[in-house]
Amino acid sequence: MTALRIALANQKGGTGKTTLAVNLAAGLLRRGPTVLLDADPQGSAGHWARVGGAKGDLAPVQGVGGHEAGAGIAQASARHRYVLVDCPPHLESGVLREVMDAVDVVLIPVQPSPPDLWASVDMVAAVADARRANAGLRAYVVLNQLDRRNALSRSMHQALAEFSVPVLASGLARRAAYRSAALEGGSVYALGKRGISAVQDVESIIKEVLKT
Ligand SMILES: Nc1ncnc2c1ncn2[C@@H]1O[C@H](COP(=O)(O)OP(=O)(O)OP(=O)(O)O)[C@@H](O)[C@H]1O
Ligand SMILES: [Mg+2]
């Protein structure tokens, strides 16, 4: 089985790494064997899955500590079609580097404001650095907490143009469903009618990543 390995990374905290990792993993689990590796010592993804327990619809979550991340990804790749990796919100520990050397795609969630994007600028250098060892690494910005009422500001378009990592056309709108899913220990797919729009966001991202 050749796995597609996707990391969610941003050294800025609270941008939606775990929200995306858990929901993308749930969507990919519907397509094939999927595991979510939690490389964040905070363990949020694992906690989320434990809330839902055995009846949840989430992909299984496995913790991978700092220097085991590369080995953990390699092991998981042998047995799964999709391997997701939720990264911690810092660059220092070497975990991020270890992960970026071992994945095919890195998705960088950012909130759609120029200051949030600037706070993520270290990721551009981290991606360039990782490509020296992992030349095929694909990297995309994923806009999160989009406000459905407003188009992106002109200053945000300018900031994105300078960022030098391409932006996925699809993103996540700001929706209560993402918080409800976390509170209930499941993904947005498990919310039924309450999750329909959120599922559409997640499905568009999956389709875009799988086709590019
Ligand atoms: N699209 C969204 N709509 C509404 N709430 C959201 C959305 N995305 C994330 N959130 C909420 O924002 C908070 C931060 O999200 P999340 O934990 O996914 O970020 P993170 O990048 O993993 O944070 P950390 O850097 O601490 O690991 C959470 O409370 C989450 O429920
Ligand atoms: Mg997180």
Side-chain angles (χ1 to χ4, degrees):
M1 200 175 308
T2 357
L4 180 68
R5 298 156 295 184
I6 306 170
L8 283 297
N10 192 335
Q11 94 289 350
K12 178 168 166 43
T15 61
K17 296 175 285 294
T18 302
T19 300
L20 265 161
V22 168
N23 286 294
L24 289 174
L28 288 166
L29 181 62
R30 295 165 163 248
R31 292 164 164 83
T34 300
V35 66
L36 171 54
L37 302 181
D38 189 355
D40 185 351
Q42 291 179 110
S44 323
H47 189 78
W48 187 333
R50 280 193 297 278
V51 171
K55 66 181 183 354
D57 74 319
L58 301 185
V61 179
Q62 281 169 25
V64 284
H67 296 291
E68 305 149 25
I73 293 168
Q75 257 177 23
S77 302
R79 286 175 285 112
H80 297 89
R81 178 78 189 88
Y82 303 105
V83 178
L84 282 285
V85 190
D86 187 18
C87 292
H90 46 74
L91 289 167
E92 295 77 28
S93 64
V95 179
L96 184 64
R97 182 55 199 268
E98 177 109 359
V99 170
M100 293 217 291
D101 283 351
V103 296
D104 305 291
V105 182
V106 56
L107 300 179
I108 306 170
V110 301
Q111 296 191 27
S113 79
D116 278 292
L117 192 64
W118 298 328
S120 307
V121 76
D122 288 349
M123 285 302 299
V124 176
V127 167
D129 214 28
R131 280 187 178 139
R132 289 195 281 165
N134 181 6
L137 179 67
R138 293 152 55 199
Y140 304 97
V141 167
V142 185
L143 296 172
N144 183 24
Q145 306 235 24
L146 287 162
D147 189 335
R148 278 155 289 164
R149 286 162 304 187
N150 293 318
L152 285 188
S153 66
R154 189 195 300 186
S155 55
M156 186 62 193
H157 279 294
Q158 267 169 7
L160 284 169
E162 288 165 18
F163 200 70
S164 81
V165 171
V167 188
L168 287 187
S170 21
L172 299 188
R174 183 186 301 130
R175 301 182 194 280
Y178 295 107
R179 287 170 196 269
S180 308
L183 287 168
E184 293 171 30
S187 79
V188 291
Y189 292 83
L191 293 177
K193 276 190 185 153
R194 290 180 295 152
I196 289 174
S197 305
V199 166
Q200 283 170 357
D201 294 346
V202 175
E203 283 290 312
S204 318
I205 293 172
I206 289 176
K207 285 178 190 140
E208 209 177 334
V209 170
L210 293 186
K211 83 164 192 282
T212 51

